[in-house]
Amino acid sequence: MAEDIFEIQPSTIENIDLAVFEYINKSFDLFSSTNEGFKKVPVVWVGAERANQIKNNKDLRDDQGVLILPISTLERVSIAKNLDRKGTYWGNVGQEGLIISRTIKQDKTANFLNADSKKKTGAQQGSGHGQINFPSKSDNKKIVYETVTAPLPVYIDLVYKFSIRTEYQEQMNKLLAPFITRPYGLNIITLRRNEHYYEMFIGEDYNLNNNLASMDEAERTYVTDIELRVLGYLMGEEDNQKNPKITKKENAVEVKIPRERVIFGDIPSHIDKKGFYRD
């Protein structure tokens, strides 16, 4: 019989970052009118080095190395472990972990049932039938379960700053509209990546950092910062985790305690007619 394979992708800080980035880039899918037509506004993760951005995203800058507007950036600004916001799992189960699967081990359960059935009927030998695989009318109470556990989720609060930079007021107005109208009357967005779910909340204030009032010779730009709060969780310690990430355990169905004479190897003082010794 083929062994069951459990594949669980880890929930890491990087996975949460990518979940936020992919949602902004794909779900919002911002477009704006430019001098070259109606084009998609690129979303740039500011954590990358400038040399890497120039090499892999040549369309972001012109020949002089100046950013081509409009453009948007995403940055993680803080992480906090708030014990008052623990998400779904409030109980502290310690090292036992989170139970994700519990199945019956049919082969080992059948071995216990066959062993009981093989015993001959009698007052001393038990209540078996003298053969294995004999149909049993009573409920089998010696059931072996295989339990699969994963590390317990540890919830964290992450704050991101999403910035939009444009050349014209009209561009900024149209790019801000989706963040104001979505998700309509609510303020919660579900993020999903690698079968993990996170909750994102869009800030109520939209900070305008324009340089219009200076009236100097610098290029006029419109900048708006939007705060994104994400309730995420971590499972395990990634490469620094010493314990197994996925643990399989089997329960004990029968406990036997040998007699002291058997433990210490004493020679019995008397044996019955059948050659069987019982203290």
Side-chain angles (χ1 to χ4, degrees), residues 16-22 24-25 43-48 72-76 160-163 200 226 228:
I16 301 175
D17 292 342
L18 290 174
V20 178
F21 179 85
E22 292 175 356
I24 297 295
N25 190 33
V43 181
V44 181
W45 177 261
V46 298
S72 61
T73 59
L74 182 64
E75 177 186 7
R76 172 166 35 88
Y160 297 84
K161 183 177 71 172
F162 182 70
S163 301
M200 183 175 71
I226 304 174
L228 306 176

Side-chain angles (χ1 to χ4, degrees), residues 165-227:
R165 185 184 300 267
T166 64
E167 291 181 285
Y168 307 104
Q169 182 73 63
E170 182 182 3
Q171 293 175 331
M172 181 61 68
N173 294 340
K174 293 182 179 180
L175 292 176
L176 279 181
F179 289 91
I180 299 175
T181 57
R182 300 181 194 177
Y184 305 102
L186 302 176
N187 188 24
I188 180 173
I189 296 176
T190 302
L191 308 177
R192 176 179 177 180
R193 190 176 189 275
N194 288 338
E195 301 302 323
H196 293 286
Y197 294 85
Y198 314 109
E199 297 176 350
M200 183 175 71
F201 308 89
I202 301 178
E204 299 177 357
D205 298 328
Y206 302 87
N207 300 320
L208 305 180
N209 299 322
N210 307 326
N211 63 349
L212 306 180
S214 59
M215 300 298 292
D216 54 13
E217 296 180 356
E219 181 183 5
R220 297 177 59 184
T221 56
Y222 296 84
V223 181
T224 301
D225 297 330
I226 304 174
E227 183 183 73

Side-chain angles (χ1 to χ4, degrees), residues 8 10 149-151 235-239 241-247:
I8 299 179
T149 60
M235 297 182 65
E237 302 174 7
E238 299 190 57
D239 296 339
Q241 182 170 337
K242 298 180 181 180
N243 299 329
K245 298 180 180 179
I246 300 296
T247 305

